[in-house]
Amino acid sequence: MSTPVAASGSIAPAGSTRPRVVEARDLSLTFTTADGPVFALAHVDLDVAEGEFVSFIGPSGCGKTTLLRIVADLEQATSGSITVNGLAPAEARQARQYGYVFQAPALYPWRTVEQNVVLPLEIMGFAAQERAERAAHNLALVNLSGFAKKYPWQLSGGMQQRASIARALAFDPKLLLMDEPFGALDEMVRDNLNLQLLRLWRETGKTVLFVTHSILEAAFLSTQIVVMSPRPGRVIDIIRCGFPRERGLDIRESAEFLTVAHRVREGLRAGHSDDE
Amino acid sequence: MTGTRRRLPPAGHLLPVATLLAVLLVVWYVACLPMNAVVAEPRLRETDGSLAERLRISWSLERAVLPAPHQIAEEVWRTVFTVLPTKPRSLLYHCWITLSSTLLGFLMGSVLGIGLAIAIVHVRTLDKSLMPWIIASQTIPILAVAPMVIVVLGSIGLTGLVPKSIISTYLCFFPVTIGMVKGLTSPEIMQLDLMRTYNASAGQVLQKLRWPASLPFLFASLKVAIAIALVGAIVGELPTGAQAGIGARLLNGSYYGQTTQIWAALVAASVMAAGLVAGVGFAERVTGRMLGGRP
């Protein structure tokens, strides 16, 4: 195996005093398979400050989802260190400090939209009154107020994914982990959901870690873009975007936006050429 | 998934069913001639031997090898509607004996089957250690085990309903365990990961995810289980000297050459089996509707 190119770099703006939400040092994860080891992640350094929107972009197998799953304690790193809100990932998970949005909505088909949204609240032991209030509040946040009593199969794909976002927000975690949440949706729906997500991020002030395949999506949403490359999965570039928090789809035509998108594309190309 | 899709217009349903039934009846009536030839022979000699006489006699023999359908219908009518259900001469009396032990065995078997499945899903070592025994238990022919169970339990003073139910239990826990292990492990990785991100306990995962996800598998298993619970109850009635129940009617019938009685008992057993399976199907539809099933 070639020596991985470890691009370290502080994601947090220089001189920032905001507390670190995620801090990873020399993080590696190697899967042992029948065909030999798979280096899912190699020597990744990462810092995410509170309130940031960080996108992870790269081709399949670059470890972006794996990185998110390590933060969520759904996978465990084989070496290196990582803290989530200053805790080990397992402790952070036990303290229910993050909400996770999967690639698919993963709604439970036997529950109505409202019952799906209150699922984490039931598990965490919230009172019925509080559950109902939070369901109403979060469904309103994702514009699904009229659909509380519907079952998942009665909703479109985009609405289902919005319901799953409301579910992740229901217990008000400060950190939101999103694994290609809009990957399966068409472009129009995706644009619309990106705008809604941006508004939600502005209004709630949450920290978001967001995995995506789409350069446009990453550049439009993020304060930071982490460009990753496969075999071994590693960080090859970190790009800051200085767009105003209040922004519309039209910024995608600005020169500044195109510069960012270009740099992401260059990074992806550089990572890819390693293979040949 | 639910009944609505299966509900064809009556005419579309009725014609094929009626045609098949008519063909079966014709075959049956014709088959009565060769099947009963030997028994009918002495009485035939007293007649002119015409086809009409031959048919009349073959279809009205008291101890026919193959009784005609109308004879079976008469027997069912006589033993169901003209005798009080509390009397041992009533078919309903025997149906109830068998039905009660079927239901008790079904209940015990389902609880046992579900319990085993929950244990197997949660304790990894049980999957390896218990499963071979569970499968082996079903390779033993029940006809060989049933008399032993009845005799052993009888020797410790357990007679009547319970030993028969235990045979039903023995038969019907198996499909429930197999189906429920499949059902309880049916949730997708993502749905399980979601529970993990909530730091849910194993009990909560069972209650809120595994159990509801397993219900379609449960009902499929229960349909098989209730039908074989009935078989178990009937088999359980055979070795006891056959005092009461559908099994007793079958055994008695064969002792005394009362084929009509055997056939009537078989009719009763199949009506009961159909009713029981339909009952489970009804419970399935009600549950499906409560859980937001797609119509």
Side-chain angles (χ1 to χ4, degrees):
Chain A
M1 264 294 166
S2 64
T3 320
V5 187
S8 56
S10 173
I11 292 192
S16 163
T17 52
R18 280 179 294 173
R20 293 277 188 279
V21 176
V22 176
E23 198 166 358
R25 290 287 169 271
D26 200 27
L27 198 69
S28 298
L29 172 56
T30 310
F31 292 111
T32 326
T33 67
D35 303 331
V38 173
F39 300 97
L41 273 185
H43 311 291
V44 168
D45 292 323
L46 181 69
D47 287 284
V48 178
E50 196 178 317
E52 291 218 61
F53 195 120
V54 183
S55 288
F56 299 84
I57 191 166
S60 308
C62 72
K64 51 195 194 300
T65 293
T66 307
L67 183 54
L68 204 66
R69 288 176 66 85
I70 291 177
V71 173
D73 189 39
L74 295 174
E75 310 276 1
Q76 283 76 39
T78 36
S79 71
S81 67
I82 180 165
T83 59
V84 178
N85 288 331
L87 304 167
E91 293 167 336
R93 178 177 65 80
Q94 279 153 22
R96 288 142 175 172
Q97 290 195 338
Y98 65 83
Y100 201 105
V101 179
F102 292 87
Q103 285 171 1
L107 299 170
Y108 291 0
W110 51 85
R111 286 174 167 253
T112 62
V113 168
E114 183 180 30
Q115 287 167 339
N116 266 292
V117 171
V118 300
L119 174 72
L121 306 178
E122 284 176 17
I123 288 167
M124 296 173 194
F126 285 76
Q129 172 75 22
E130 172 112 39
R131 290 204 298 259
E133 283 168 15
R134 284 183 178 230
H137 172 74
N138 285 295
L139 283 174
L141 215 53
V142 296
N143 291 335
L144 278 180
S145 289
F147 298 88
K149 304 295 177 204
K150 298 272 190 240
Y151 282 94
W153 60 268
Q154 294 169 301
L155 267 56
S156 70
M159 289 160 90
Q160 288 184 24
Q161 198 53 285
R162 266 147 61 197
S164 94
I165 293 171
R167 180 181 59 188
L169 293 171
F171 56 103
D172 205 22
K174 286 217 181 70
L175 174 61
L176 202 55
L177 307 175
M178 306 180 88
D179 182 9
E180 289 187 50
F182 311 137
L185 305 173
D186 66 59
E187 189 99 18
M188 307 273 281
V189 177
R190 181 190 280 233
D191 280 351
N192 182 16
L193 289 184
N194 280 343
L195 279 173
Q196 290 190 34
L197 180 60
L198 208 55
R199 171 179 57 81
L200 217 140
W201 171 66
R202 246 188 353 252
E203 287 171 7
T204 58
K206 297 197 186 301
T207 312
V208 183
L209 269 58
F210 187 90
V211 168
T212 179
H213 261 122
S214 156
I215 297 173
L216 281 184
E217 193 170 65
F220 178 66
L221 291 172
S222 315
T223 57
Q224 315 267 344
I225 302 169
V226 178
V227 183
M228 297 182 75
S229 166
R231 287 177 293 276
R234 63 202 188 279
V235 176
I236 54 174
D237 195 9
I238 288 169
I239 303 157
R240 296 199 52 72
C241 319
F243 305 119
R245 290 205 154 213
E246 198 95 32
R247 56 186 178 254
L249 289 169
D250 51 340
I251 66 149
R252 297 193 299 193
E253 268 101 68
S254 72
E256 199 187 353
F257 185 91
L258 294 175
T259 312
V260 168
H262 178 73
R263 197 173 145 192
V264 174
R265 204 168 284 119
E266 286 295 303
L268 289 173
R269 198 169 295 147
H272 192 258
S273 65
D274 273 5
D275 279 349
E276 273 74 43
Chain B
M1 195 171 272
T2 57
T4 32
R5 215 185 315 156
R6 255 181 282 149
R7 218 168 284 152
L8 293 170
H13 224 78
L14 218 59
L15 193 64
V17 172
T19 311
L20 189 66
L21 194 66
V23 170
L24 270 177
L25 283 176
V26 169
V27 170
W28 190 317
Y29 273 110
V30 171
C32 283
L33 278 177
M35 292 291 287
N36 297 334
V38 178
V39 192
E41 197 51 41
R43 281 181 59 189
L44 260 178
R45 255 181 259 132
E46 300 159 14
T47 64
D48 56 0
S50 70
L51 183 64
E53 282 298 305
R54 190 177 282 269
L55 288 178
R56 189 181 60 78
I57 290 168
S58 299
W59 290 344
S60 62
L61 291 164
E62 202 173 321
R63 296 192 175 187
V65 175
L66 180 65
H70 69 266
Q71 288 180 286
I72 298 164
E74 270 170 27
E75 169 77 7
V76 171
W77 178 270
R78 197 174 55 76
T79 50
V80 169
F81 296 107
T82 65
V83 191
L84 275 178
T86 50
K87 295 275 161 34
R89 288 176 52 83
S90 164
L91 194 55
L92 289 178
Y93 169 83
H94 296 280
C95 279
W96 169 245
I97 300 277
T98 303
L99 186 66
S100 56
S101 100
T102 301
L103 290 176
L104 182 62
F106 172 68
L107 185 72
M108 295 194 297
S110 306
V111 171
L112 176 67
I114 293 169
L116 278 173
I118 290 176
I120 285 170
V121 167
H122 285 88
V123 186
R124 199 171 286 265
T125 50
L126 281 185
D127 185 24
K128 297 259 187 294
S129 59
L130 212 54
M131 218 44 175
W133 289 106
I134 289 173
I135 290 167
S137 77
Q138 301 299 308
T139 63
I140 303 166
I142 190 65
L143 271 171
V145 178
M148 287 196 296
V149 172
I150 301 285
V151 170
V152 168
L153 289 177
S155 72
I156 60 166
L158 267 178
T159 53
L161 185 64
V162 175
K164 286 194 291 172
S165 310
I166 286 175
I167 291 167
S168 293
T169 306
Y170 183 87
L171 281 182
C172 79
F173 88 92
F174 181 69
V176 177
T177 301
I178 299 294
M180 280 305 274
V181 167
K182 184 98 182 139
L184 291 170
T185 51
S186 69
E188 295 164 33
I189 306 256
M190 220 179 262
Q191 294 176 324
L192 286 163
D193 275 348
L194 185 70
M195 280 299 191
R196 191 171 153 81
T197 69
Y198 301 149
N199 195 30
S201 68
Q204 287 172 324
V205 175
L206 176 64
Q207 180 202 347
K208 306 219 181 270
L209 175 57
R210 291 189 190 277
W211 177 259
S214 72
L215 288 178
F217 295 83
L218 176 65
F219 281 110
S221 304
L222 289 183
K223 279 184 198 166
V224 179
I226 201 155
I228 59 176
L230 179 65
V231 173
I234 292 173
V235 168
E237 285 161 354
L238 295 180
T240 48
Q243 289 117 2
I246 295 292
R249 294 290 277 188
L250 291 174
L251 205 60
N252 262 327
S254 68
Y255 278 163
Y256 302 111
Q258 295 284 353
T259 42
T260 334
Q261 185 184 320
I262 296 178
W263 281 100
L266 287 178
V267 168
S270 26
V271 169
M272 272 203 288
L276 289 170
V277 172
V280 175
F282 177 74
E284 180 180 23
R285 280 197 296 282
V286 170
T287 316
R289 211 166 301 142
M290 269 160 47
L291 294 176
R294 205 185 286 243

